[in-house]
Amino acid sequence: MNTNNGSSMRDFILLGFSNQPQLEHVISGIVFILYIVTLGGNTMIILVSNLDSQLHTPMYFFLSNLSFLDLCYATSIVPQMLVNLWGPTKSITFGGCVLQFFFALDLGATECLLLAVMAYDRYAAVCQPLHYTVIMHPQFCQKMVLTAWLGGLVGALILCSMTLKLPRCGHRKVDNFVCEMPAFLKMSCVYSKVIEVVVYALGVIFLLVPLSLILISYTVITQAVMRIKSTGRWRKVLNTCGSHLTAVTLFYGTIIYMYMKPKNSTSQDEAKFFTLFYTIVTPTLIPLIYTLRNKDVKSAVKRILYVEKWLAKS
C-alpha cells in the first residue's frame, strides 16, 4: 500500500493497518455501513424530537443534542477514514489533521458532560416527579447544554494548543486511523510532563467527575425504583434509564480505557480497534439503543409517517 505518493511534506500519513490490506478492506466495508446507520439513526432522532410535540420534553431535548453531537463526531472522522482506506494514499493535510484532532477532543469532552446532564434529568424525573417540570424548565435545560458545549470547547482548546506546540522532529506518520491525542503525543520527539499532568487533570474533570455524578444519580434512582409499586411506571423508568446507562457504559468505558490507562499498557493494534469502537460503533449504537427500546419514539415515528401519508393523499 502506497502511503507517500501525492502527499506533501506538511501532510500527515494515517497508517491504519497498512501492513494488512485485506483487513483494511473488511474494516472499510464495516465502517461504511455503520456510518450510514449513524447518519440515518441520529438524523431520525433529531427530526422526530423536533417535529413531534409530545417529545418536546427535556429528555428528548438532551437526546437530540446527543444525536447532533454524534453526527458531527462521526462526520469529522469517517469520510477521511474511508478516503484513506479506499484510496492509494493515506495522507491527510496538516490543517485537516488539526481539525480532526480538535473536533475529536471538543465533541468527545462535550459528550462526557452531556451524558452527565442526562443522568441528572433522569434523577429529577424519577426522584422528583412532582417538581420535575419546575426543576427542568426549558431555560435551565438550555443553560446546561450550553455549559456542556462550552466546557468541551475550552478543554479542547487547552489540549490542542499545548499538543500542537510539541516538536515532532519531522515525524509525519500517525500510527492510527485518525488524528487524535495519543497518536499525536507518540509523534512528538520530546516528553512533556506538563501535558501529561494536564491530560490527567482534564481527564478527571471530563471523565471521572461526570462519571461519578452519573453513578451517584443512578444509586439514588435505584433506591427510588425499588419503592415503585406500579409495574407500568417501573418498566418505563427501567427503559429510559437503561438506555442512558447503556450509552454511558459504551462511551465512558472505551474513552477512560484509552485516555486514563497507564502509558504503553496496550499494543498499538489494540488501541486502533478501541479507537474504531468509540468513534464509529458507539455513535451507531446509541440511536439504536434509544429507539428500539423506546415506545415514545416508535409512536412518534408512526404519527409523523401517518401525517405525511395523509397529506400526500389530500
Side-chain angles (χ1 to χ4, degrees), residues 76-225:
S76 69
I77 292 172
V78 176
Q80 179 66 52
M81 181 189 296
L82 290 175
V83 168
N84 288 348
L85 288 172
W86 289 339
T89 65
K90 294 183 175 294
S91 65
I92 180 173
T93 63
F94 175 79
C97 195
V98 170
L99 285 175
Q100 197 175 76
F101 173 42
F102 172 76
F103 282 121
L105 285 175
D106 180 19
L107 299 173
T110 301
E111 184 155 348
C112 290
L113 299 178
L114 187 58
L115 287 171
V117 168
M118 294 174 73
Y120 179 74
D121 171 68
R122 291 300 84 207
Y123 157 78
V126 176
C127 302
Q128 304 288 335
L130 298 179
H131 304 287
Y132 178 70
T133 55
V134 176
I135 296 172
M136 302 301 293
H137 58 84
Q139 289 184 342
F140 180 61
C141 294
Q142 291 167 7
K143 289 178 180 178
M144 286 198 294
V145 168
L146 181 61
T147 300
W149 281 95
L150 290 178
L153 178 62
V154 171
L157 287 173
I158 293 172
L159 284 180
C160 195
S161 60
M162 293 182 69
T163 305
L164 292 175
K165 289 179 181 178
L166 292 175
R168 293 184 297 275
C169 303
H171 296 163
R172 298 187 300 122
K173 294 183 178 180
V174 181
D175 195 9
N176 211 321
F177 293 97
V178 299
C179 296
E180 60 169 5
M181 168 150 282
F184 256 93
L185 293 179
K186 287 184 178 181
M187 278 198 300
S188 173
C189 55
V190 298
Y191 169 72
S192 174
K193 182 67 176 178
V194 175
I195 289 186
E196 184 176 342
V197 171
V198 171
V199 168
Y200 274 95
L202 291 178
V204 170
I205 295 171
F206 287 101
L207 291 173
L208 299 186
V209 170
L211 182 58
S212 299
L213 294 176
I214 291 171
L215 294 177
I216 292 171
S217 296
Y218 275 103
T219 300
V220 178
I221 288 173
T222 301
Q223 294 173 349
V225 168

Side-chain angles (χ1 to χ4, degrees), residues 33-76:
I33 293 171
L34 292 179
Y35 183 54
I36 296 300
V37 175
T38 299
L39 292 178
N42 285 291
T43 301
M44 184 198 70
I45 287 178
I46 295 171
L47 291 176
V48 169
S49 299
N50 285 276
L51 293 176
D52 192 283
S53 59
Q54 294 187 31
L55 299 186
H56 290 175
T57 63
M59 174 181 169
Y60 292 101
F61 171 68
F62 296 135
L63 181 57
S64 61
N65 271 272
L66 180 63
S67 293
F68 177 71
L69 193 152
D70 281 338
L71 271 178
C72 295
Y73 191 74
T75 302
S76 69

Side-chain angles (χ1 to χ4, degrees), residues 276-297:
L276 285 173
F277 189 87
Y278 70 74
T279 57
I280 309 299
V281 179
T282 302
T284 305
L285 291 179
I286 287 179
L288 295 177
I289 291 168
Y290 273 97
T291 53
L292 294 178
R293 299 180 56 186
N294 195 310
K295 293 182 180 179
D296 292 337
V297 174

